[in-house]
Amino acid sequence: MSAAAPAAPATDVQTHGNYIAGEWRPAKSGATFENRNPANVDDLIGHFAASGQEDVEAAVTAAAETAEAWRNTSAIARANILFKAADLLAARANDVGRELTREEGKTLKEGVGETTRAVQILRYFAGEAQQPSGEHYPSINPLTLLYTVREPLGVVATITPWNFPIAIPAWKIAPALAFGNTVVFKPASLTPLCAVRLTEALAEAGLPAGVLNLVTGSAGAVGDPLVRDHRVVGISFTGSNAVGGALRTIAAERGAKLQLELGGKNPAIVLADADLDQALSHVVNGAMMSTGQKCTATSRAIVDRRLVDQFTEQLTDRIKALRVGDPLQADTQIGPVISEDAAERITGEVADATKAGVPLLAGGHRLGDNGRGRGYFVAPTLFGNVDPTSRLGQEELFGPVLGVIPVDGLDEAIAVANAVRFGLSASLFTRDLGKALAFVRGIQAGIVHVNSETAGAEPQVPFGGMKGSSSYSREQGKAAREFFTQTKTVYIDVPPAS
Ligand code: ADP
């Protein structure tokens, strides 16, 4: 594994406020928090508003006061603003992508790629806003005009994680706005700059004051009052299962509509007839790109016993060869994990599994040489012969850690793949069409791949998981309209002719 020293710290450190009622303003308390580069903690990226209940209150008030006017704005006008925001963000994609890499730690290619994806999402929902949104029905009375319309919910909260700091906010905020809702946006505290950049693009594109409000700050001080505010009728959340569980209770108690995208323990099944090279490269990419910090990352390679030794040997070589270092350097393949806490948690889990006798084949330790000591670098990690019922086989580690689980054939592979509480994404590598179709039928996952990696989401199709990975609703594509609107059924009759 080679490495390049992280870039020299930048000097122009700015302070960014909240965006409330069309104004950039500091937290009412004046408090701020720092945002630092996970590849190099000496690189201070910016200061951000450390908001509290009074800022949330102001943001929800702004969103509530403008809800009626925004709902009555034509869908075409709303679409035009999203198209313009997409153009503004597209023109800035290289700069914003670089900032994304500096605050999140994924490689520059991934940072620019994610920003470009946010542009595509804005464009997709600008188009979607202009699609038909209700249905016309026959009535028992032939003269009755009977139809449905989809109306916005009102004020919605979008609460987002740090691992896709611009794409996930875009895929919640764009449909929320396109379908006529007003939004209070609470991004993860670890990646507030991307949230500022997305909000800037939408504000500059002409979004009326109060339609989108950004409030930065901690989960306790911002997220909690936001989800408890009775004026917030919809909550779209992506993050951990622990927080998702708490939100289920809060939303149920006060009758708010809730959408959850949570974790995964995503399997890649490799059958004996798979194209070995294809399976290896997709398993490595699925497990290790973005430092394994995707909810759709591959964390279990479930491999046919006839192939497992050969597969594991080659997998070990490929994982050991990954270049881990400063994600701003062009030849880096794997950046840091997001935080010191994450690095310690992941290496702690690895140590526990090793102590329990699971064979550690690659990585497992922190990397501190070649300038990496100022960041949160964890060597890409591979375990062989993982017990599928063990903690390593069951729990999401959210880092660059992959475990190989040997099985005898497809039926056992599917049974093992399904024997977890999650069901987000899954992939199968085979040349056998019958086995592929049996896998598609039998696997409990919301996103299913045959001969491609578990990660990846295109904006025009539904995204979401089964079982503990979501709340049954889906994001993106046409499915987004389901969450961000409600149905009104209309019967129109005319008085009898006099
Ligand atoms: P992650 O660490 O992957 O970002 P979390 O579930 O901790 O996952 O957080 C996801 C988002 O939810 C973040 O913006 C976080 O601040 C917010 N959040 C965390 N806890 C709560 C809570 N109790 N109420 C509302 N928002 C929360």
Side-chain angles (χ1 to χ4, degrees), residues 274-285:
D275 181 294
L276 190 59
D277 189 56
Q278 180 187 46
L280 282 164
S281 70
H282 284 271
V283 169
V284 171
N285 286 347

Side-chain angles (χ1 to χ4, degrees), residues 6-9 36-44 102 336 371 374-377:
R36 289 182 179 270
N37 182 342
N40 175 7
V41 292
D42 299 328
D43 179 14
L44 177 62
R102 255 177 89 203
R374 301 300 293 155
Y376 314 122
F377 292 94

Side-chain angles (χ1 to χ4, degrees), residues 326-415:
D326 180 4
L328 289 170
Q329 301 287 329
D331 65 343
T332 295
Q333 293 172 293
I334 310 287
V337 296
I338 188 67
S339 64
E340 177 67 22
D341 283 355
E344 285 302 297
R345 180 183 51 74
I346 293 163
T347 48
E349 294 277 0
V350 168
D352 288 348
T354 312
K355 223 178 288 163
V358 191
L360 177 63
L361 305 177
H365 52 278
R366 304 247 334 224
L367 297 166
D369 58 341
N370 295 325
R372 294 179 291 191
R374 301 300 293 155
Y376 314 122
F377 292 94
V378 174
T381 302
L382 179 67
F383 282 101
N385 206 18
V386 170
D387 173 354
T389 64
S390 67
R391 185 172 164 79
L392 190 60
Q394 291 285 316
E395 294 303 324
E396 182 179 44
L397 263 56
F398 221 70
V401 182
L402 175 66
V404 175
I405 302 174
V407 288
D408 290 311
L410 180 64
D411 290 348
E412 189 188 351
I414 293 176

Side-chain angles (χ1 to χ4, degrees), residues 159-163 186-190 217-220 222-227 237-244 246-247 250 398:
I159 303 180
T160 55
W162 47 263
N163 64 328
K186 187 260 178 264
S189 317
L190 292 165
S218 72
V222 176
D224 193 58
L226 178 59
V227 297
F237 168 86
T238 299
S240 61
N241 277 64
V243 175
L247 295 188
I250 294 168
F398 221 70

